[in-house]
């Protein structure tokens, strides 16, 4: 009996990079404005992370802007990529946004600044260098758990 894996959703790899640029601007703005007004900006980005993480990249608003307004003006991508690593990265971003929002709501400015700062660094790495930190963590965890499963099956 063979087990067939479902085919993963494939996406244009330029979409997450475009989304990371918008995310970087919003997170930088949140940091500049601070926990007062910046909390509202972080809330907007938090909803974007939540949509991408919980509903899928097709529901992420910055991805929608890319697919609707930008991609039709570009040549087709050279190749498509698996959507699972970028979706995991959205989940990581959501976790940092929730931590920042907790700092805002519970009047812990240091938590706000640290959480937003970490999320901003990750977004900038993707936007500027096309290096998706959350994607790399996803791929590393898949390799680690695959090796652990192989070791467990052998023993």
């Amino acid at each position: 009996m063979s087990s067939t894996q479902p085919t993963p959703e494939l996406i244009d790899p330029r979409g997450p990079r475009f989304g990371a640029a918008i995310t970087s601007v919003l997170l930088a703005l949140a940091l500049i404005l601070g926990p007062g007004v910046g909390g509202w900006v972080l809330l907007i980005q938090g909803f974007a992370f939540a949509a991408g993480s919980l509903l899928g990249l097709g529901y992420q608003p910055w991805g929608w802007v890319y697919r609707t307004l930008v991609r039709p003006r570009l040549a087709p991508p050279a190749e498509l990529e698996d959507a699972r690593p970028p979706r995991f990265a959205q989940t990581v971003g959501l976790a940092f946004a929730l931590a920042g929002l907790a700092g805002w709501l519970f009047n812990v400015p240091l938590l706000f600044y640290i959480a937003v700062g970490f999320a901003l660094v990750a977004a900038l790495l993707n936007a500027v260098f096309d290096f998706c930190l959350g994607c790399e963590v996803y791929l590393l965890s898949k390799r680690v758990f695959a090796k652990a499963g192989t070791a467990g099956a052998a023993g």
Side-chain angles (χ1 to χ4, degrees), residues 29-49:
L29 187 60
L31 277 178
I32 291 166
L33 295 173
V37 177
W40 293 104
V41 176
L42 181 59
L43 184 63
I44 292 166
Q45 182 56 48
F47 279 122
F49 281 140

Side-chain angles (χ1 to χ4, degrees), residues 3 6-7 10 39-40 54 69 75 81 95 104 127 145 153:
S3 69
T7 304
L10 298 176
W40 293 104
L54 304 173
L69 301 176
E81 74 177 14
W104 175 46
F145 288 121

Side-chain angles (χ1 to χ4, degrees), residues 7 20 24 26 29 42 50 55 65 74 86 100-101 110 119 133-134 141-142 146:
T7 304
S24 296
L26 290 174
L29 187 60
L42 181 59
L55 301 175
V65 170
L74 301 174
L101 289 169
L110 184 62
L133 189 58
S141 69
K142 293 297 267 185

Side-chain angles (χ1 to χ4, degrees), residues 50-110:
S53 170
L54 304 173
L55 301 175
L57 297 177
Y59 295 93
Q60 211 282 355
W62 318 146
W64 179 86
V65 170
Y66 174 79
R67 286 188 313 278
T68 306
L69 301 176
V70 178
R71 185 171 179 186
R73 291 164 173 75
L74 301 174
E79 58 186 25
L80 300 176
E81 74 177 14
D82 185 348
R84 293 175 293 188
R87 186 170 179 180
F88 177 80
Q90 292 289 299
T91 304
V92 174
L94 176 59
F96 280 106
L98 290 173
L101 289 169
W104 175 46
L105 293 172
F106 297 114
N107 198 25
V108 184
L110 184 62

